[in-house]
Amino acid sequence: MVAEVEERVVPHEPGAHENVSARWRLATFFLALPSLVVFVGLGFIPLALVVTWSFWSFDPDTYWIKPAWSLASYAALLENGRATVFLRTAGLAALTATASTLLAVPAATVVCLLSRPRRAALLLALFTIPFFTSGLVRAFAWRLVLGRQGVVNNALMSLGVVQTPVEWLLFSDFAVVLGMVAAYLPFAIIPIVLVFGRIEYSVIRASQDLGAGFWTMFSTIVLPLVMPGIVASFLFVFIVAVGTSMEIQLLGGAGASSISIMINDVLRVVNFPLAFAIATVVVTLLIVLVIVANRALRLSRLFESLGV
Amino acid sequence: MSFDLIVAGRSSGGRLLFTTITALCLTIMYAPVLYLLLASLNPDAQLGLVPPSRYSLTWYFALLEDRRLAGALEESALVGLATAALATPIGLSAALAYRAMTRMRGIFLLVVLSAMFVPGTIEGLGLSATLRLVGLTPSWVTITIGHLLWTLPFAAVVSLIGLSTVKQITIAAARDLGAGPMRAFIDITLPLMRANLISSFVLAFLLSLNEHARAYYLVGRQNTLPLYMFGAMNSGASPTIYAFSGAVIVICVAVVALVFAGLAEQPGEAREGRRARPG
Amino acid sequence: MAHNSGNRPSLGVFSQLTRRRLVQNGVLGAGALAAGSLGIPRAARAADEIIFWATGTLDIGDAGWKIIANDSGVKVQFTDNGNDPGPVVARLAAGNANDIFDIGGLQGGSEKELARRGLIAPWDLSQIPNYASLWQWAKDIPYLTYEGKAYGIPTVINADSIIALRDKAGNVDSYGAIFDPRLKGKTAMEDAWINSVIFTAIYLKSSENAKIAEPGNLTADELGLVMEFLIKHKRDGQFRTFWNGWEQGLQLVANQEVWVMTGWEPIVYAARMRGVDCYYAVPKEGYEGWGNNAILLKGAVNRGRWKAAHQLVNALLSGFYGCKLGMLRGYVVPTDNNVAYATANSSAFDPASVRELAEHVKQKFAGKVYWQNTRPDNFQLYETWWQRLRNA
């Protein structure tokens, strides 16, 4: 009886049963089909075009690309500080993702564990609403909040905390990270809130009965179970932050750069092979990052169901 | 037993810290939004705060007559809904496929995630070139394709999280009672995933609503809302765009407030301390 | 959220609320669908409709375009192309712009490459009678023609210099103010080498006697000289920021975030309306001249819009457009037809102010003006140096 249950229940758990039946394989294929159609059918061809074109050369006669294979674009990435841009963007994105996740975990805990249903739903709605407005306009508004004559400086001066406006509030890394965190917090909070569904109410009750305090309960029960959400939250914010240019352009200092800004600069001088090379490098680096994270965090085991 | 008793009590310092952090999150998120709301009541032609005595709805009235913005909003809403409607089920199927796989898992995950790695401008350009070869007229359809590529990985990961909250024992029980895999999925898994699917839909919609890099190359004659905003910020448009942000906030908050007002506290809920779960 | 384990899925208040959220979104979407088209490509348009894809600077609003339609018989649908020549050219070269749009409007300099690639078609000046009324020096701008044919028709012309706050920066008459150490952290330039490099080159040529032949077309050595100068000042913290686009530029001036910056003239008008005492400097080194030009996309010719396109451009030069643009933004169409139109229609436009604006621009161009060029010979080198500036 137990063996029968196991057979019906766990044929898709990795390593549990190597005799995956042909029906299961077919079912899996059909499940994967829609996404494969989208990614391979629609996504692969543009990517292939881009990668191919990155190995061709700029043709000064037509201002387009000629099929002369060369690594010149990739070599150009190592000059003029372009590599610095990759590092800086990745660093800013990682910082934003870390800050967002660190803020999101307590916020999600409050929503899911420390609030009545109505308050929880209200909080969740509040977290999502700003994202219905334009991100560009929101980022622009930060200039008016943090500027020399902005809300914060006016408050600080009228309270007598400072005599002259604080300059580094705006057009600095501080402003950029603040703007990005403010913009992308919902991305960080939503996955963690969703993953709280894994937590058994009765388990928490049991831990309380056994005498666990808040922090013990949090570190031994909540944290391990919400790990998938934390990983997803970091991934979401990192990806969106790596690809954005708005906050950096609006809130960064003179000529602040990011990967997107660099791509736009390069497209402006119709150096298409270089632009495509940048994109290829970005995709490659991120794929490598995911592979490394997969090994280190054992991602394949992370999203499994509990129980059995 | 009321859930309040569960997590209150000992080490309320933790509770206080977490609540403070939540308040901090809300402050950071709403600082620009509230500023926009107040500044949109400024009748002058440039963004800034004014004393309450000068508040005026000038720009909100101008908003009602702004045909261009209405057109852009319509286009964005259409694209957003189409993207979300496609991304949610396809994301779910991708998540199911991932969990059903064994050896191909890593590669499949990479294929799914790689779509979000391509920088938006380049993706838009490449996709636009590809779609031209196929002869597809640029319209909301082409934008939706581009946005689908962008939002699908997010929807898939969200669905993965959702599936991980469905406990094996529940499925086992259903199967034990004689349900086939399809039946178990439709009757047990899907309802448990309900809130997760809704979140996936809303997330995909919001992602599409705010995306402009891909849209630039895929758009037809009618710009989407973010492209309209960019154009307005670059070449100068009236402050109706700020009134628009204010209007969106007010409408959303009003809807939420109405929903809450309409939902009376259900009898017995307070007594039982029943806690809802997002799925 | 924790849930009560059991056989029954717990619905709870939460999921009901989120369901309502979904319904609300659905209602919004259905309303949008009902109100508008489904985006199915329309059948062939009426032959007298033109899609004008240009920087927002050239837009006169739906009401204005309606008057143009009445006057010329050509209906105009205006789409903003984002005011950045880079994506515009990219979309023409590799994207779908030629399939959708008929006439483009962008900053001059790219006409040569677009013509070479067959992306734009030459204008037949015999079909544009009003072309004769254009000011001669506007017609003579070198990048408008390629191989003897006119590819760009100048629609808006202006000469740019510096915006300064009178009470903070005093009387500014030189670009040196931007690089003045006394104004450290209080200056800004545009985040575009198209403008900022030429301003710096003009300054270095005139006031520091650098060996620069043509500020709008620098050689590799000259470019290095200019960029090293800018990099040094950026490292010293001279610039508060670089700005990009109208709202950003206006915000910097109106909120007194910077005291001196290179910028567009209409920002001065807009900031003055806000009560800021600022002015447009008359620099002794000279101005930077630029133009937004109309180009004829090849796709329009293929779609049979050739005649309508010429009719529209002729209408743009006939006077109403110039008056309207001058009133809306303070920009000038380089023709005397504006004054003539205002005189004939003095109830709509004040002839005196139209004339004043035209004279103001003419006077600027009578002095030292160096033309902006989005495609100098070394244009890719410009971008490389700008990257170095960004990373400095």
Side-chain angles (χ1 to χ4, degrees):
Chain A
M1 180 65 166
V2 170
E4 277 173 16
V5 168
E6 271 188 23
E7 193 175 280
R8 264 178 280 159
V9 158
V10 292
H12 58 286
E13 291 305 321
H17 268 256
E18 296 308 329
N19 299 346
V20 180
S21 66
R23 270 188 72 197
W24 258 112
R25 267 203 288 264
L26 199 63
T28 313
F29 174 72
F30 274 110
L31 279 174
L33 194 60
S35 39
L36 285 178
V37 162
V38 171
F39 289 124
V40 178
L42 293 170
F44 177 70
I45 300 177
L47 194 57
L49 269 177
V50 164
V51 173
T52 314
W53 283 342
S54 74
F55 288 106
W56 288 1
S57 320
F58 173 74
D59 185 358
D61 290 328
T62 61
Y63 290 87
W64 182 231
I65 314 174
K66 63 181 177 211
W69 298 93
S70 107
L71 286 175
S73 317
Y74 290 92
L77 283 178
L78 297 170
E79 300 166 358
N80 300 309
R82 294 196 200 270
T84 327
V85 176
F86 284 97
L87 291 170
R88 230 185 94 78
T89 313
L92 264 177
L95 184 58
T96 306
T98 312
S100 303
T101 309
L102 282 176
L103 288 174
V105 172
T109 312
V110 166
V111 169
C112 301
L113 282 186
L114 303 179
S115 309
R116 311 193 76 92
R118 280 162 62 97
R119 195 163 73 125
L122 175 68
L123 278 176
L124 213 53
L126 281 181
F127 280 129
T128 329
I129 285 177
F131 220 64
F132 281 91
T133 64
S134 160
L136 178 64
V137 169
R138 270 181 285 135
F140 183 70
W142 274 114
R143 282 164 78 115
L144 288 122
V145 170
L146 298 172
R148 280 218 187 92
Q149 294 186 344
V151 175
V152 173
N153 265 322
N154 283 346
L156 287 176
M157 290 210 289
S158 64
L159 288 175
V161 178
V162 293
Q163 308 306 326
T164 54
V166 182
E167 304 271 309
W168 54 261
L169 282 180
L170 187 55
F171 304 127
S172 59
D173 282 343
F174 167 76
V176 172
V177 174
L178 181 61
M180 291 216 279
V181 169
Y184 303 134
L185 257 181
F187 283 129
I189 294 179
I190 289 180
I192 305 183
V193 164
L194 289 175
V195 86
F196 260 88
R198 288 175 115 201
I199 295 185
E200 269 291 297
Y201 187 57
S202 54
V203 172
I204 303 221
R205 204 175 351 178
S207 81
Q208 299 265 324
D209 289 345
L210 288 170
F214 180 87
W215 289 110
T216 320
M217 173 207 68
F218 185 75
S219 54
T220 55
I221 300 177
V222 174
L223 267 187
L225 287 175
V226 302
M227 235 347 131
I230 293 180
V231 167
S233 146
F234 188 90
L235 173 73
F236 284 3
V237 178
F238 183 79
I239 291 296
V240 176
V242 149
T244 188
S245 61
M246 282 187 312
E247 289 83 9
I248 296 180
Q249 211 286 305
L250 283 163
L251 305 170
S257 190
S258 77
I259 292 177
S260 291
I261 293 177
M262 187 161 69
I263 291 180
N264 276 329
D265 280 346
V266 168
L267 283 178
R268 193 172 297 127
V269 290
V270 286
N271 195 345
F272 295 103
L274 181 54
F276 297 146
I278 297 174
T280 310
V281 169
V282 169
V283 174
T284 312
L285 285 178
L286 287 173
I287 287 182
V288 166
L289 218 64
V290 166
I291 292 179
V292 166
N294 200 8
R295 296 280 162 82
L297 300 170
R298 282 188 297 268
L299 283 183
S300 50
R301 306 225 119 220
L302 199 60
F303 291 103
E304 282 167 20
S305 295
L306 304 167
V308 180
Chain B
M1 189 178 193
S2 155
F3 81 99
D4 274 328
L5 285 176
I6 300 300
V7 282
R10 277 161 275 159
S11 190
S12 56
R15 194 188 168 128
L16 181 64
L17 176 67
F18 278 23
T19 314
T20 314
I21 293 182
T22 309
L24 180 67
C25 286
L26 285 171
T27 313
I28 297 178
M29 285 174 58
Y30 276 87
V33 165
L34 287 174
Y35 184 93
L36 280 170
L37 198 54
L38 292 175
S40 65
L41 296 168
N42 173 358
D44 291 337
Q46 196 247 325
L47 193 61
L49 292 178
V50 287
S53 55
R54 291 197 55 211
Y55 281 173
S56 137
L57 289 176
T58 320
W59 299 116
Y60 286 90
F61 289 127
L63 187 61
L64 292 173
E65 288 154 33
D66 195 335
R67 291 272 122 245
R68 300 264 182 87
L69 195 144
L73 174 63
E74 192 184 303
E75 183 88 350
S76 272
L78 186 56
V79 168
L81 288 173
T83 305
L86 284 171
T88 307
I90 300 182
L92 178 61
S93 78
L96 288 167
Y98 175 82
R99 281 161 57 93
M101 288 181 188
T102 50
R103 280 161 304 159
M104 300 293 288
R105 257 192 192 193
I107 300 182
F108 184 68
L109 183 66
L110 268 179
V111 170
V112 169
L113 289 182
S114 63
M116 39 149 99
F117 294 162
V118 188
T121 322
I122 302 297
E123 172 75 40
L125 195 55
L127 192 55
S128 158
T130 313
L131 292 175
R132 276 194 82 208
L133 292 174
V134 179
L136 202 56
T137 323
S139 71
W140 66 270
V141 174
T142 46
I143 313 175
T144 306
I145 294 175
H147 281 185
L148 189 57
L149 276 167
W150 167 237
T151 58
L152 201 46
F154 290 89
V157 171
V158 167
S159 292
L160 266 180
I161 292 178
L163 286 176
S164 77
T165 67
V166 176
K167 299 219 317 301
Q168 278 305 96
I169 202 77
T170 324
I171 306 290
R175 301 294 299 277
D176 215 28
L177 290 169
M182 200 56 172
R183 193 84 201 286
F185 178 70
I186 296 180
D187 285 346
I188 306 294
T189 312
L190 266 190
L192 286 174
M193 292 263 297
R194 191 200 309 257
N196 187 282
L197 290 172
I198 291 169
S199 307
S200 176
F201 188 93
V202 171
L203 188 65
F205 179 80
L206 290 176
L207 279 169
S208 165
L209 197 64
N210 274 275
E211 204 285 327
H212 70 275
R214 289 163 178 79
Y216 182 80
Y217 293 96
L218 298 166
V219 81
R221 264 174 254 124
Q222 172 62 61
N223 272 338
T224 58
L225 195 60
L227 290 175
Y228 176 85
M229 294 286 178
F230 260 89
M233 297 275 291
N234 270 345
S235 39
S238 64
T240 50
I241 57 177
Y242 307 118
F244 179 70
S245 298
V248 169
I249 296 294
V250 167
I251 292 177
C252 286
V253 169
V255 165
V256 170
L258 275 174
V259 165
F260 271 92
L263 273 168
E265 183 106 7
Q266 314 223 347
E269 196 179 273
R271 260 184 292 131
E272 285 177 20
R274 232 179 67 196
R275 282 282 287 109
R277 121 184 225 271
Chain C
M1 292 184 216
H3 76 118
N4 48 337
S5 69
N7 307 341
R8 204 165 50 87
S10 148
L11 290 175
V13 169
F14 179 86
S15 49
Q16 284 191 8
L17 285 172
T18 48
R19 202 186 328 149
R20 270 162 218 256
R21 217 75 213 289
L22 171 60
V23 168
Q24 182 239 330
N25 284 334
V27 164
L28 270 182
L33 277 179
S37 77
L38 284 173
I40 299 164
R42 276 173 280 172
R45 290 177 270 133
D48 58 356
E49 194 188 12
I50 288 282
I51 320 291
F52 192 11
W53 186 51
T55 109
T57 327
L58 296 180
D59 187 16
I60 54 174
D62 289 333
W65 292 119
K66 218 177 277 200
I67 298 185
I68 296 257
N70 289 339
D71 285 350
S72 67
V74 180
K75 268 196 303 212
V76 174
Q77 190 185 331
F78 188 91
T79 306
D80 193 332
N81 71 9
N83 201 34
D84 188 347
V88 170
V89 169
R91 203 167 156 195
L92 271 170
N96 53 30
N98 242 323
D99 300 333
I100 325 176
F101 305 113
D102 299 320
I103 300 184
L106 75 164
Q107 284 169 282
S110 309
E111 285 84 352
K112 179 171 75 177
E113 80 197 52
L114 294 173
R116 263 201 221 166
R117 289 208 61 204
L119 297 168
I120 60 177
W123 294 102
D124 183 351
L125 296 178
S126 66
Q127 301 285 322
I128 309 178
N130 281 327
Y131 185 80
S133 73
L134 281 173
W135 299 335
Q136 189 54 44
W137 47 264
K139 282 190 248 184
D140 288 341
I141 303 170
Y143 52 64
L144 291 178
T145 51
Y146 175 67
E147 287 180 352
K149 294 188 234 168
Y151 281 92
I153 306 279
T155 352
V156 166
I157 299 246
N158 204 4
D160 280 359
S161 69
I162 306 169
I163 305 171
L165 300 177
R166 199 180 306 278
D167 50 356
K168 295 282 199 320
N171 274 328
V172 168
D173 68 347
S174 158
Y175 294 105
I178 308 268
F179 310 113
D180 190 343
R182 287 170 298 176
L183 290 170
K184 191 176 287 203
K186 308 270 191 297
T187 69
M189 297 190 90
E190 203 177 336
D191 188 358
W193 51 258
I194 294 171
N195 291 331
S196 300
V197 170
I198 193 173
F199 279 129
T200 317
I202 294 173
Y203 168 71
L204 288 174
K205 178 184 168 85
S206 298
S207 291
E208 294 197 8
N209 294 313
K211 292 219 183 332
I212 295 176
E214 269 184 72
N217 198 357
L218 300 174
T219 67
D221 292 331
E222 292 168 348
L223 182 59
L225 189 76
V226 172
M227 292 306 296
E228 292 285 3
F229 180 81
L230 275 178
I231 289 177
K232 170 181 167 304
H233 280 284
K234 180 187 165 180
R235 286 217 180 104
D236 287 344
Q238 179 70 25
F239 308 114
R240 178 89 170 119
T241 187
F242 286 169
W243 60 275
N244 205 334
W246 170 268
E247 282 296 307
Q248 290 186 38
L250 177 57
Q251 189 262 325
L252 288 178
V253 174
N255 285 100
Q256 308 196 7
E257 200 74 41
V258 301
W259 294 351
V260 180
M261 74 178 206
T262 59
W264 311 338
E265 194 161 16
I267 294 181
V268 172
Y269 305 141
R272 280 207 195 126
M273 281 205 305
R274 191 82 172 52
V276 175
D277 182 16
C278 61
Y279 63 95
Y280 212 47
V282 182
K284 56 184 191 249
E285 295 96 351
Y287 290 93
E288 178 218 24
W290 60 267
N292 270 338
N293 314 304
I295 51 176
L296 177 61
L297 301 189
K298 203 58 188 295
V301 181
N302 297 341
R303 288 189 292 272
R305 304 261 179 270
W306 191 87
K307 190 151 196 307
H310 283 77
Q311 278 173 312
L312 176 61
V313 166
N314 197 42
L316 293 181
L317 301 177
S318 64
F320 165 74
Y321 183 68
C323 291
K324 187 80 180 171
L325 212 54
M327 186 178 82
L328 284 176
R329 296 173 200 282
Y331 281 137
V332 147
V333 179
T335 162
D336 286 323
N337 285 348
N338 303 333
V339 179
Y341 186 90
T343 317
N345 296 282
S346 51
S347 52
F349 301 105
D350 173 27
S353 50
V354 173
R355 184 175 299 118
E356 193 187 317
L357 189 59
E359 291 306 314
H360 170 69
V361 172
K362 273 199 231 179
Q363 190 199 29
K364 281 197 284 188
F365 276 95
K368 251 194 288 187
V369 171
Y370 300 95
W371 278 103
Q372 177 198 78
N373 185 357
T374 61
R375 284 285 182 261
D377 293 336
N378 287 319
F379 66 99
Q380 291 194 333
L381 196 58
Y382 276 71
E383 187 271 332
T384 313
W385 269 105
W386 200 255
Q387 283 307 317
R388 284 201 219 167
L389 176 66
R390 286 199 191 283
N391 291 321

